[in-house]
Amino acid sequence: MNKKVIISGVTGQDGSYMTDYLLQNTNHEIYGMIRRTAKPDYSNIKEALENPRFKLVYADLTDSQSIENIVREINPDYFLNFASQSFVGVSWQIPEQTFDAGAMGVLRCLEAIRKFSPNCRFYSAGSSEEMGDVVYTPQDLNHPIRPRSPYGAAKAAARHLTKVYRDSYNLYAVHCILYNHESERRGEEFVTQKIAKNVARIAKAIKNKETFKPLELGNIEAKRDWSHAKDFIKGVWLMMNQEKPKEYLLSSDETHTIREFVEKAFKAAGIEGAWHGNGINEEYSITTKQAGELDVQASVLMKINPKFYRPAEVDLLLGDSTPAREELGWKPEISFDNLVKCMVYSCLNEVGIETEKT
Ligand code: G4F
């Protein structure tokens, strides 16, 4: 009999890539968990919706009854929880909702599995935001939990709860620390996609000899350990299929500033920039040489807007994923340079600018 997999957050980046991966590489039946929303966006699961092994089910992490119902009715072999309020920046504005979905939501899943489907393997999506105010680099799973945002605190609680349920009830329940992972399916509120979309907007304006407004960002000195989400999905599936449950950390083991992402993104679109000024007055402008050649109608490509600073920042994320590489045989395949190119090219194609293939 085909195995059954519940995937929450199925319309988002990770849930949709996991769905595609399992439909392509297994015979499992996938139950994509969705919440009712006024304007559902199924763009990431367009192909999955055509597949008879894929079904949508309504449930909500903030509604324990709905979670219990689907676990009781489906009796899944796996429950992969990718749902949460995942935007760190807004977690200060909606802390309760962030904590409810991110921590209590995990507890509701664990309780439903304990009561109705104790052989179901549960995955809780953890985050490098749990490392927070880091005390050593690169960070590994022994790094203390020092979150800096309501989002990070919710993920830290989810990690403890998953361990408690694993130890108390002998569940195959794992909470994996995922460092930043991006893709063409990334939401526009996250810095990488915000940069990619704005680079494409500016490239189109330059091509059409129109004026443009600069991209506006907050803290460009923060360092992140970025990978492509497709690479992480494979790692998650490996850790869900071991003899015994064990937690892992997935990362590229490289770190880059937001500043570097900006430079590489404009470069991928053929735009050469240079930095001027300091602090909140710093700007990235098109080089005088290229401005002359292209006859551009504006010069500032990016400027700082303090409105995008956070009340507390995680300054430096750099993971050490050695155990995942050695024990699971996992390794990321898409480099940082290619990640930037994939995202920028996809946005350029959307605005009608042709690119080479990545
Ligand atoms: O892209 P971000 O919003 O991602 P962040 O906060 O690192 O969180 C992401 O990664 C976590 C794993 O570490 C996930 F758990 C989480 O769900 C999410 O996927 O911001 C990245 C950095 C931050 O330092 C932020 O301050 O970019 C800086 N930044 C500077 N200007 C900005 C902006 N971030 C956003 N979103 N928008 C800006 O204008």
Side-chain angles (χ1 to χ4, degrees):
M1 224 171 70
N2 291 353
K3 291 198 169 169
K4 298 175 189 168
V5 186
I6 295 180
I7 299 183
S8 63
V10 75
T11 56
Q13 172 184 270
D14 294 5
S16 65
Y17 277 127
M18 182 56 95
T19 299
D20 291 349
Y21 182 75
L22 294 184
L23 288 174
Q24 278 160 24
N25 295 287
T26 70
N27 290 324
H28 303 345
E29 286 172 21
I30 314 297
Y31 294 82
M33 182 179 130
I34 49 164
R35 286 181 301 153
R36 205 212 80 84
T37 47
K39 262 196 175 175
D41 179 359
Y42 297 131
S43 50
N44 288 339
I45 52 167
K46 268 196 314 260
E47 280 175 31
L49 285 167
E50 305 288 317
N51 192 313
R53 283 189 288 120
F54 181 75
K55 296 181 184 65
L56 290 178
V57 286
Y58 277 101
D60 191 322
L61 286 182
T62 63
D63 178 341
S64 52
Q65 201 57 60
S66 72
I67 301 294
E68 288 199 0
N69 287 344
I70 59 163
V71 170
R72 207 178 42 226
E73 281 159 24
I74 297 168
N75 191 18
D77 296 281
Y78 300 89
F79 189 136
L80 310 178
N81 179 34
F82 292 108
S84 74
Q85 188 302 95
S86 61
F87 184 30
V88 176
V90 93
S91 72
W92 282 272
Q93 274 79 54
I94 46 168
E96 280 186 32
Q97 201 254 328
T98 303
F99 201 84
D100 197 5
M104 295 298 293
V106 167
L107 181 57
R108 292 178 186 114
C109 295
L110 288 164
E111 266 296 285
I113 289 168
R114 176 186 76 79
K115 285 197 228 161
F116 302 112
S117 201
N119 291 323
C120 170
R121 295 185 168 202
F122 178 68
Y123 169 76
S124 162
S127 166
S128 42
E129 279 290 308
E130 293 164 45
M131 307 289 184
D133 192 11
V134 304
V135 289
Y136 63 81
T137 299
Q139 302 96 36
D140 54 21
L141 279 178
N142 298 320
H143 188 280
I145 297 178
R146 294 163 59 91
R148 297 274 281 165
S149 62
Y151 170 87
K155 289 289 180 186
R159 182 174 178 185
H160 288 303
L161 287 165
T162 305
K163 180 178 186 317
V164 167
Y165 271 65
R166 184 172 62 238
D167 295 348
S168 311
Y169 302 114
N170 204 21
L171 298 181
Y172 194 116
V174 292
H175 178 91
C176 165
I177 303 288
L178 298 186
Y179 276 64
N180 292 55
H181 49 291
E182 319 290 313
S183 73
E184 304 84 314
R185 295 186 184 175
R186 193 56 150 148
E188 288 180 38
E189 64 275 38
F190 298 96
V191 78
T192 53
Q193 188 72 310
K194 179 175 172 182
I195 295 169
K197 291 269 177 203
N198 278 278
V199 165
R201 170 182 64 78
I202 291 171
K204 187 178 174 195
I206 291 177
K207 190 170 170 224
N208 295 340
K209 305 211 180 303
E210 291 164 0
T211 56
F212 58 84
K213 289 195 176 141
L215 156 68
E216 293 187 356
L217 295 177
N219 177 11
I220 57 169
E221 307 307 344
K223 288 185 159 178
R224 289 292 180 273
D225 177 332
W226 280 296
S227 300
H228 197 291
K230 276 189 192 171
D231 279 334
F232 275 18
I233 289 313
K234 293 179 198 158
V236 168
W237 189 241
L238 282 170
M239 75 184 72
M240 292 310 294
N241 289 287
Q242 299 304 302
E243 221 168 281
K244 290 200 173 122
K246 186 175 171 202
E247 297 189 330
Y248 288 97
L249 175 163
L250 299 183
S251 58
S252 75
D253 300 3
E254 277 181 30
T255 192
H256 301 272
T257 55
I258 316 298
R259 177 191 291 278
E260 257 179 282
F261 200 105
V262 169
E263 290 165 358
K264 284 194 188 287
F266 277 108
K267 196 155 187 211
I271 302 170
E272 299 289 339
W275 296 97
H276 309 275
N278 289 306
I280 61 164
N281 296 317
E282 191 167 11
E283 290 177 346
Y284 194 59
S285 301
I286 194 159
T287 59
T288 326
K289 181 168 172 278
Q290 205 182 32
E293 283 162 9
L294 298 173
D295 188 20
V296 294
Q297 300 297 307
S299 67
V300 182
L301 302 166
M302 195 230 92
K303 65 177 196 174
I304 304 292
N305 185 338
K307 140 174 138 182
F308 297 110
Y309 288 152
R310 295 178 177 176
E313 180 63 272
V314 171
D315 294 317
L316 168 59
L317 290 177
L318 171 60
D320 174 2
S321 59
T322 308
R325 292 173 194 236
E326 289 183 356
E327 293 168 26
L328 300 175
W330 170 84
K331 73 171 182 347
E333 280 159 19
I334 302 171
S335 67
F336 175 65
D337 281 12
N338 277 342
L339 169 68
V340 178
K341 278 190 190 160
C342 285
M343 295 184 73
V344 172
Y345 287 0
S346 163
C347 294
L348 287 169
N349 296 160
E350 269 171 31
V351 300
I353 298 178
E354 277 184 28
T355 57
E356 63 186 67
K357 293 234 181 308
T358 45

Short mmCIF file of all heavy atoms in Angstrom, two decimals, residues 81 99 101-107 110 122 124-127 130 145 151-166 173-176 247:
data_model
loop_
_atom_site.label_atom_id
_atom_site.label_comp_id
_atom_site.label_asym_id
_atom_site.label_seq_id
_atom_site.Cartn_x
_atom_site.Cartn_y
_atom_site.Cartn_z
N ASN A 81 5.88 19.16 8.79
CA ASN A 81 5.28 20.45 9.14
C ASN A 81 6.14 21.62 8.66
O ASN A 81 7.11 22.01 9.32
CB ASN A 81 5.07 20.55 10.65
CG ASN A 81 4.48 21.90 11.03
OD1 ASN A 81 3.69 22.47 10.29
ND2 ASN A 81 4.89 22.43 12.17
N PHE A 99 3.81 32.84 17.64
CA PHE A 99 4.09 31.80 18.64
C PHE A 99 3.04 30.69 18.58
O PHE A 99 3.33 29.51 18.75
CB PHE A 99 4.14 32.41 20.05
CG PHE A 99 4.90 31.55 21.01
CD1 PHE A 99 6.29 31.61 21.10
CD2 PHE A 99 4.23 30.64 21.81
CE1 PHE A 99 6.99 30.79 21.97
CE2 PHE A 99 4.93 29.81 22.69
CZ PHE A 99 6.31 29.89 22.76
N ALA A 101 1.24 29.60 15.97
CA ALA A 101 1.46 28.67 14.85
C ALA A 101 2.82 27.96 15.01
O ALA A 101 2.92 26.75 14.83
CB ALA A 101 1.41 29.42 13.53
N GLY A 102 3.86 28.72 15.40
CA GLY A 102 5.22 28.18 15.39
C GLY A 102 5.51 27.21 16.53
O GLY A 102 6.24 26.24 16.34
N ALA A 103 4.96 27.46 17.71
CA ALA A 103 5.26 26.59 18.87
C ALA A 103 4.04 25.75 19.24
O ALA A 103 4.10 24.52 19.25
CB ALA A 103 5.68 27.45 20.05
N MET A 104 2.92 26.41 19.51
CA MET A 104 1.71 25.66 19.88
C MET A 104 1.26 24.76 18.73
O MET A 104 0.74 23.67 18.95
CB MET A 104 0.58 26.62 20.26
CG MET A 104 0.85 27.43 21.51
SD MET A 104 1.05 26.37 22.95
CE MET A 104 -0.59 25.72 23.10
N GLY A 105 1.46 25.22 17.51
CA GLY A 105 1.08 24.42 16.34
C GLY A 105 1.82 23.09 16.33
O GLY A 105 1.24 22.04 16.03
N VAL A 106 3.10 23.14 16.68
CA VAL A 106 3.90 21.91 16.73
C VAL A 106 3.39 21.00 17.85
O VAL A 106 3.25 19.78 17.68
CB VAL A 106 5.40 22.27 16.91
CG1 VAL A 106 6.22 21.05 17.29
CG2 VAL A 106 5.94 22.88 15.62
N LEU A 107 3.05 21.61 18.98
CA LEU A 107 2.50 20.82 20.10
C LEU A 107 1.19 20.14 19.69
O LEU A 107 0.96 18.96 20.00
CB LEU A 107 2.25 21.76 21.30
CG LEU A 107 1.71 21.13 22.57
CD1 LEU A 107 2.62 20.01 23.06
CD2 LEU A 107 1.54 22.18 23.65
N LEU A 110 2.03 17.17 17.56
CA LEU A 110 2.60 16.08 18.36
C LEU A 110 1.52 15.37 19.17
O LEU A 110 1.50 14.13 19.27
CB LEU A 110 3.68 16.65 19.30
CG LEU A 110 4.98 17.08 18.61
CD1 LEU A 110 5.80 17.97 19.53
CD2 LEU A 110 5.81 15.87 18.18
N PHE A 122 7.25 12.47 12.43
CA PHE A 122 6.92 13.91 12.42
C PHE A 122 8.18 14.75 12.22
O PHE A 122 9.19 14.54 12.88
CB PHE A 122 6.26 14.29 13.74
CG PHE A 122 5.94 15.76 13.84
CD1 PHE A 122 4.97 16.34 13.03
CD2 PHE A 122 6.62 16.57 14.75
CE1 PHE A 122 4.67 17.70 13.12
CE2 PHE A 122 6.33 17.94 14.84
CZ PHE A 122 5.35 18.49 14.02
N SER A 124 9.54 18.68 12.30
CA SER A 124 9.30 20.07 12.71
C SER A 124 10.42 20.93 12.10
O SER A 124 11.61 20.66 12.32
CB SER A 124 9.34 20.15 14.24
OG SER A 124 9.53 21.47 14.67
N ALA A 125 10.02 21.95 11.34
CA ALA A 125 11.02 22.79 10.65
C ALA A 125 11.62 23.80 11.62
O ALA A 125 10.98 24.77 12.00
CB ALA A 125 10.36 23.50 9.48
N GLY A 126 12.84 23.54 12.03
CA GLY A 126 13.54 24.47 12.92
C GLY A 126 14.29 25.52 12.12
O GLY A 126 14.28 25.50 10.89
N SER A 127 14.94 26.43 12.83
CA SER A 127 15.55 27.58 12.15
C SER A 127 16.84 28.01 12.82
O SER A 127 16.98 27.95 14.05
CB SER A 127 14.55 28.74 12.20
OG SER A 127 15.20 29.94 11.86
N GLU A 130 17.07 30.27 15.86
CA GLU A 130 17.16 29.80 17.25
C GLU A 130 18.54 30.09 17.83
O GLU A 130 18.70 30.24 19.03
CB GLU A 130 16.89 28.29 17.32
CG GLU A 130 15.48 27.92 16.96
CD GLU A 130 15.31 26.44 16.66
OE1 GLU A 130 15.84 25.60 17.40
OE2 GLU A 130 14.66 26.13 15.64
N ILE A 145 20.77 28.01 22.65
CA ILE A 145 19.59 28.62 22.02
C ILE A 145 19.46 30.04 22.56
O ILE A 145 19.25 30.23 23.75
CB ILE A 145 18.34 27.77 22.33
CG1 ILE A 145 18.52 26.37 21.72
CG2 ILE A 145 17.07 28.43 21.81
CD1 ILE A 145 17.38 25.42 22.00
N TYR A 151 9.77 35.10 16.56
CA TYR A 151 9.83 33.95 15.64
C TYR A 151 10.86 32.93 16.13
O TYR A 151 10.59 31.72 16.23
CB TYR A 151 10.19 34.44 14.23
CG TYR A 151 10.51 33.32 13.28
CD1 TYR A 151 9.51 32.69 12.55
CD2 TYR A 151 11.83 32.87 13.11
CE1 TYR A 151 9.81 31.64 11.69
CE2 TYR A 151 12.13 31.83 12.25
CZ TYR A 151 11.12 31.22 11.55
OH TYR A 151 11.42 30.18 10.70
N GLY A 152 12.07 33.43 16.46
CA GLY A 152 13.14 32.53 16.92
C GLY A 152 12.75 31.84 18.22
O GLY A 152 13.05 30.65 18.41
N ALA A 153 12.06 32.58 19.10
CA ALA A 153 11.65 31.99 20.39
C ALA A 153 10.61 30.90 20.16
O ALA A 153 10.62 29.85 20.83
CB ALA A 153 11.09 33.09 21.29
N ALA A 154 9.71 31.11 19.19
CA ALA A 154 8.70 30.09 18.88
C ALA A 154 9.36 28.82 18.36
O ALA A 154 9.02 27.71 18.76
CB ALA A 154 7.71 30.64 17.84
N LYS A 155 10.35 28.99 17.49
CA LYS A 155 11.04 27.82 16.93
C LYS A 155 11.83 27.09 18.03
O LYS A 155 11.91 25.86 18.02
CB LYS A 155 11.99 28.26 15.80
CG LYS A 155 11.26 28.70 14.54
CD LYS A 155 10.63 27.53 13.84
CE LYS A 155 9.90 27.91 12.58
NZ LYS A 155 9.16 26.80 11.98
N ALA A 156 12.40 27.87 18.96
CA ALA A 156 13.15 27.24 20.06
C ALA A 156 12.20 26.40 20.93
O ALA A 156 12.53 25.28 21.33
CB ALA A 156 13.84 28.31 20.89
N ALA A 157 11.01 26.93 21.18
CA ALA A 157 10.02 26.18 21.98
C ALA A 157 9.63 24.90 21.23
O ALA A 157 9.51 23.83 21.83
CB ALA A 157 8.80 27.05 22.25
N ALA A 158 9.45 25.04 19.92
CA ALA A 158 9.07 23.86 19.11
C ALA A 158 10.15 22.78 19.20
O ALA A 158 9.86 21.59 19.25
CB ALA A 158 8.87 24.28 17.65
N ARG A 159 11.40 23.23 19.25
CA ARG A 159 12.50 22.27 19.34
C ARG A 159 12.44 21.48 20.65
O ARG A 159 12.56 20.26 20.67
CB ARG A 159 13.82 23.04 19.26
CG ARG A 159 15.05 22.17 19.28
CD ARG A 159 16.25 23.06 19.05
NE ARG A 159 17.50 22.36 19.08
CZ ARG A 159 18.66 22.99 19.00
NH1 ARG A 159 18.71 24.30 18.86
NH2 ARG A 159 19.79 22.31 19.04
N HIS A 160 12.21 22.21 21.76
CA HIS A 160 12.12 21.54 23.06
C HIS A 160 10.93 20.58 23.09
O HIS A 160 11.03 19.46 23.58
CB HIS A 160 11.95 22.58 24.18
CG HIS A 160 13.21 23.36 24.45
ND1 HIS A 160 14.40 22.77 24.78
CD2 HIS A 160 13.45 24.69 24.44
CE1 HIS A 160 15.34 23.71 24.96
NE2 HIS A 160 14.78 24.89 24.75
N LEU A 161 9.79 21.04 22.56
CA LEU A 161 8.59 20.21 22.59
C LEU A 161 8.79 18.93 21.79
O LEU A 161 8.39 17.84 22.22
CB LEU A 161 7.39 20.99 22.02
CG LEU A 161 6.86 22.09 22.92
CD1 LEU A 161 5.94 23.03 22.14
CD2 LEU A 161 6.11 21.48 24.10
N THR A 162 9.44 19.05 20.64
CA THR A 162 9.65 17.87 19.80
C THR A 162 10.54 16.86 20.54
O THR A 162 10.26 15.66 20.55
CB THR A 162 10.30 18.29 18.46
OG1 THR A 162 9.48 19.29 17.87
CG2 THR A 162 10.42 17.12 17.50
N LYS A 163 11.57 17.36 21.22
CA LYS A 163 12.46 16.46 21.98
C LYS A 163 11.69 15.79 23.12
O LYS A 163 11.80 14.58 23.35
CB LYS A 163 13.66 17.23 22.51
CG LYS A 163 14.61 16.35 23.29
CD LYS A 163 15.82 17.10 23.77
CE LYS A 163 16.86 16.19 24.43
NZ LYS A 163 16.34 15.19 25.36
N VAL A 164 10.89 16.59 23.82
CA VAL A 164 10.13 16.03 24.96
C VAL A 164 9.21 14.91 24.48
O VAL A 164 9.14 13.84 25.09
CB VAL A 164 9.33 17.16 25.66
CG1 VAL A 164 8.30 16.58 26.61
CG2 VAL A 164 10.26 18.11 26.40
N TYR A 165 8.53 15.12 23.36
CA TYR A 165 7.61 14.09 22.85
C TYR A 165 8.38 12.88 22.33
O TYR A 165 7.93 11.75 22.47
CB TYR A 165 6.68 14.68 21.78
CG TYR A 165 5.42 15.24 22.42
CD1 TYR A 165 5.50 16.33 23.28
CD2 TYR A 165 4.18 14.65 22.22
CE1 TYR A 165 4.38 16.83 23.90
CE2 TYR A 165 3.04 15.14 22.84
CZ TYR A 165 3.15 16.24 23.68
OH TYR A 165 2.04 16.71 24.31
N ARG A 166 9.54 13.12 21.72
CA ARG A 166 10.34 12.00 21.21
C ARG A 166 10.79 11.13 22.40
O ARG A 166 10.64 9.92 22.38
CB ARG A 166 11.57 12.56 20.47
CG ARG A 166 12.42 11.50 19.83
CD ARG A 166 13.51 12.11 18.95
NE ARG A 166 14.46 12.94 19.66
CZ ARG A 166 14.71 14.22 19.40
NH1 ARG A 166 14.07 14.83 18.42
NH2 ARG A 166 15.59 14.90 20.10
N ALA A 173 10.13 11.79 16.00
CA ALA A 173 9.82 13.22 15.83
C ALA A 173 11.14 13.97 15.83
O ALA A 173 11.91 13.86 16.79
CB ALA A 173 8.93 13.70 16.97
N VAL A 174 11.43 14.70 14.76
CA VAL A 174 12.69 15.43 14.69
C VAL A 174 12.47 16.90 14.34
O VAL A 174 11.58 17.23 13.56
CB VAL A 174 13.71 14.81 13.69
CG1 VAL A 174 14.21 13.48 14.17
CG2 VAL A 174 13.13 14.72 12.30
N HIS A 175 13.29 17.73 14.94
CA HIS A 175 13.27 19.17 14.68
C HIS A 175 14.64 19.50 14.11
O HIS A 175 15.65 19.37 14.79
CB HIS A 175 13.03 19.90 16.01
CG HIS A 175 13.03 21.38 15.93
ND1 HIS A 175 11.88 22.11 15.72
CD2 HIS A 175 14.02 22.29 16.08
CE1 HIS A 175 12.16 23.39 15.73
NE2 HIS A 175 13.46 23.53 15.95
N CYS A 176 14.67 19.89 12.84
CA CYS A 176 15.95 20.09 12.20
C CYS A 176 16.22 21.59 12.07
O CYS A 176 15.31 22.36 11.78
CB CYS A 176 15.86 19.44 10.82
SG CYS A 176 17.13 19.92 9.71
N GLU A 247 18.35 14.55 15.30
CA GLU A 247 18.26 15.91 14.74
C GLU A 247 19.53 16.27 13.99
O GLU A 247 20.62 15.86 14.36
CB GLU A 247 17.98 16.89 15.87
CG GLU A 247 16.64 16.55 16.47
CD GLU A 247 16.09 17.53 17.45
OE1 GLU A 247 16.88 18.20 18.13
OE2 GLU A 247 14.85 17.62 17.54
#
